[in-house]
Each structure stands twice: as C-alpha cells, then as structure tokens.
Amino acid sequence: MINQVLGDEYFMRQALNEARQAFDRDEVPIGAVVVCQNRIIARAHNLTETLNDVTAHAEMQAITAAANVLGGKYLTDCILYVTVEPCPMCAGALGWSQIPKIVYGAPDAKRGYTGIAPKALHPKTQIIGGIMEQECAQLMQDFFKGKR
Amino acid sequence: MINQVLGDEYFMRQALNEARQAFDRDEVPIGAVVVCQNRIIARAHNLTETLNDVTAHAEMQAITAAANVLGGKYLTDCILYVTVEPCPMCAGALGWSQIPKIVYGAPDAKRGYTGIAPKALHPKTQIIGGIMEQECAQLMQDFFKGKR
C-alpha cells in the first residue's frame, strides 16, 4: 500500500533483522534502526567483538549513521527502535542526540539504563518498551545458551 | 631522566594539549589521553561539530583508539586522563571498557556523570578529580565566553 503509515512492529522487525545479523557474527544479538518521517534512515547491529570496541553498540552506530544521512548531529525528528533496552552509554548518547522517542523490545534488568542511569535520557523523551519483547528476548537467550 | 615515572599532572597536561586543539577547531575544549604502563597509547579531543556526531566525545575516541592499539577491547591496565568530568555516555563506555582508573580535571556540575548517572561506572573504578582543575575549567570558560 502506498504511503501506508508503518507501525512499531514493522520497524522492530527490521531491528530484529539487524540483531540476527549480529547473532550470525557471534556478536551479542542486538539491532537498531532509526526512523525519520516513517522511513528507515539507518540500520546497525552490535559489533563490539568484530571491531574490538566496547563503544560499537547497535544504538551508537545507528546514531552516528543517522546523523551522517541527515547532515546534522541532532535526531530531533527521529525514532530509534532497538531490540533490547539501551545501556547507560547508549542512553547518554541518545540524550545528547535529542531524539524524542525510543522504542525497545526486551527489557535488560541487569545492564539497562532504567536500573542504572534513569536520568541519562531527557525527562521528556518518550520511551516505549515491550514491542516484540518475546522475539527480542528469545534471540538473546538463544545466544547466551550457546555460550554456556 | 630515563624511566622516570610520570605523574598525573604530566598526563593531564597532555590531555589539556588535546583540549586546546579542540578549542582551535571551535569544538567544546575537552581532551583525553589513555595511559598504559606509564606511556600514552591514545590521544583524542572532542570532535562533535567536525564529525557531526554527538558520540564523538574525547573519551569515546580515546577508548576506541586505545583498544585499537592494544588489539583488544578491554582497557584493564590503563588510566584515562580527561580534562573535564565525563558525561553519562562516556562514563557508561568507560564502565564497559573495564578501565580501573579515571583522572579528570574540572568537575561538570550540570552534565557530569556524578550528578546524573553515578552508577554508570563500576563501583571499584578509582576516580580522581581536580588535577589541574583551574586550567581545565579556564579553557572551558574561555570557550563559552567567546560564544556569548
């Protein structure tokens, strides 16, 4: 359908596709996409092992890539979709980016920003969690089960 | 003197040199160096404007550069020197890096991690603040005075 407004599930599925690419590279399977005016402008997945770089989380790369596409560093008209709740580093970066909305799949009770650094985001940032939570969490569980 | 053990002031002066390079590029003047076995293995300064990227803080680039030099993503034998107290994003990244010691110059009451996200770092991380505080703070003040 032309000009169909795509929903949260559609974009989260795209983020999950990215997460699966991370899984296939033996990376912790987290993926993200940045959406601007109902269009995906950046896709990324965790590459911390491949790049030997703890800062190479999916969200960080998605922020950098989206800013490159937009030609400006602020993502004030964007939404970030990410399969797992952001960590404090990524929440801090999202705060700097001035992104107004973040949608995540599975919560991360141990490493997520809400438990460790809830003030890393601007209080007006809209946060939605639990979109396709089961699929996002299952991929993580499958990954860590394979590591045991 | 050969094999002289260099002190915090020496390394902070190197971080300040980086901060001055940021100043000269019209970037918020923050600089960082990573030291391993009393040797500087990475130098970086804030490049958020030049790179159009909110994630391009001095500390983030220093972490990435140091990991490249070491060939591994963990900075377990390193010290980070940075001219201004890290923000929550950088504190989160430093937490992931497992760096055991961070030395900063000037505190950042508004944007620093201690006020916003004190748990972003591992509780065992050693933090020293206030090394060459006046010089580090002065450079920031000079920068923002020029912006008014």
Side-chain angles (χ1 to χ4, degrees), chain A residues 48-49 51-55 57 60 63-64 67-68 71-74 87-89 92-93 96-97 111 115-117 119-120, chain B residues 48-49 51-55 57 60 63-64 67-68 71-74 87-89 92-93 96-97 111 115-120:
Chain A
T48 49
E49 298 300 326
L51 299 179
N52 251 334
D53 185 349
V54 296
T55 75
H57 284 193
M60 303 299 282
I63 291 168
T64 300
N68 268 335
K73 67 190 168 124
Y74 295 122
C87 75
M89 170 180 73
W96 284 117
S97 81
R111 300 285 201 172
I116 303 171
K119 290 198 289 179
Chain B
T48 50
E49 299 299 327
L51 299 180
N52 252 332
D53 185 349
V54 297
T55 75
H57 284 194
M60 303 299 283
I63 291 167
T64 300
N68 268 335
K73 66 189 170 126
Y74 295 122
C87 75
M89 170 181 73
W96 285 118
S97 80
R111 301 286 200 172
I116 303 172
K119 289 198 288 180

Side-chain angles (χ1 to χ4, degrees), chain B residues 2-23:
Chain B
I2 293 166
N3 285 333
Q4 185 188 3
V5 174
L6 300 165
D8 287 342
E9 259 201 40
Y10 172 82
F11 292 120
M12 189 59 80
R13 202 173 296 280
Q14 304 298 310
L16 252 172
N17 283 345
E18 286 293 317
R20 286 197 191 95
Q21 290 183 47
F23 188 100

Side-chain angles (χ1 to χ4, degrees), chain A residues 81-110:
Chain A
Y81 290 83
V82 58
T83 56
V84 177
E85 180 190 342
C87 75
M89 170 180 73
C90 294
L94 289 162
W96 284 117
S97 81
Q98 301 185 11
I99 203 163
K101 185 176 171 182
I102 298 163
V103 181
Y104 66 82
D108 184 348
K110 202 172 159 194

Side-chain angles (χ1 to χ4, degrees), chain A residues 26-48:
Chain A
D26 208 26
E27 297 273 3
V28 173
I30 300 177
V33 299
V34 175
V35 174
C36 189
Q37 295 177 322
N38 211 39
R39 218 183 102 233
I40 293 173
I41 62 166
R43 299 170 184 267
H45 54 265
N46 177 41
L47 284 174
T48 49

Side-chain angles (χ1 to χ4, degrees), chain A:
Chain A
M1 200 186 297
I2 293 165
N3 285 331
Q4 184 189 7
V5 174
L6 301 166
D8 286 344
E9 259 201 38
Y10 173 83
F11 292 120
M12 189 59 80
R13 201 171 297 279
Q14 303 300 310
L16 252 173
N17 283 345
E18 286 294 318
R20 286 198 190 96
Q21 289 181 48
F23 188 101
D24 291 342
R25 283 171 179 264
D26 208 26
E27 297 273 3
V28 173
I30 300 177
V33 299
V34 175
V35 174
C36 189
Q37 295 177 322
N38 211 39
R39 218 183 102 233
I40 293 173
I41 62 166
R43 299 170 184 267
H45 54 265
N46 177 41
L47 284 174
T48 49
E49 298 300 326
T50 306
L51 299 179
N52 251 334
D53 185 349
V54 296
T55 75
H57 284 193
E59 301 94 313
M60 303 299 282
Q61 296 178 83
I63 291 168
T64 300
N68 268 335
V69 169
L70 296 173
K73 67 190 168 124
Y74 295 122
L75 310 182
T76 44
D77 292 318
C78 298
I79 306 172
L80 178 102
Y81 290 83
V82 58
T83 56
V84 177
E85 180 190 342
C87 75
M89 170 180 73
C90 294
L94 289 162
W96 284 117
S97 81
Q98 301 185 11
I99 203 163
K101 185 176 171 182
I102 298 163
V103 181
Y104 66 82
D108 184 348
K110 202 172 159 194
R111 300 285 201 172
Y113 82 99
T114 50
I116 303 171
K119 290 198 289 179
L121 285 173
H122 192 279
K124 285 191 180 166
T125 310
Q126 188 188 351
I127 312 281
I128 297 174
I131 302 294
M132 299 187 69
E133 175 175 342
Q134 205 185 335
E135 292 89 333
C136 295
Q138 187 66 51
L139 193 62
M140 292 286 275
Q141 285 162 23
D142 290 349
F143 179 80
F144 287 109
K145 198 160 67 182
K147 294 288 167 197
R148 262 187 240 131

Side-chain angles (χ1 to χ4, degrees), chain B residues 8 12 79-82 101-105 113 125-131:
Chain B
D8 287 342
M12 189 59 80
I79 307 172
L80 177 101
Y81 290 82
V82 57
K101 185 175 172 184
I102 298 164
V103 182
Y104 67 84
Y113 83 98
T125 310
Q126 187 187 353
I127 312 283
I128 298 174
I131 301 295

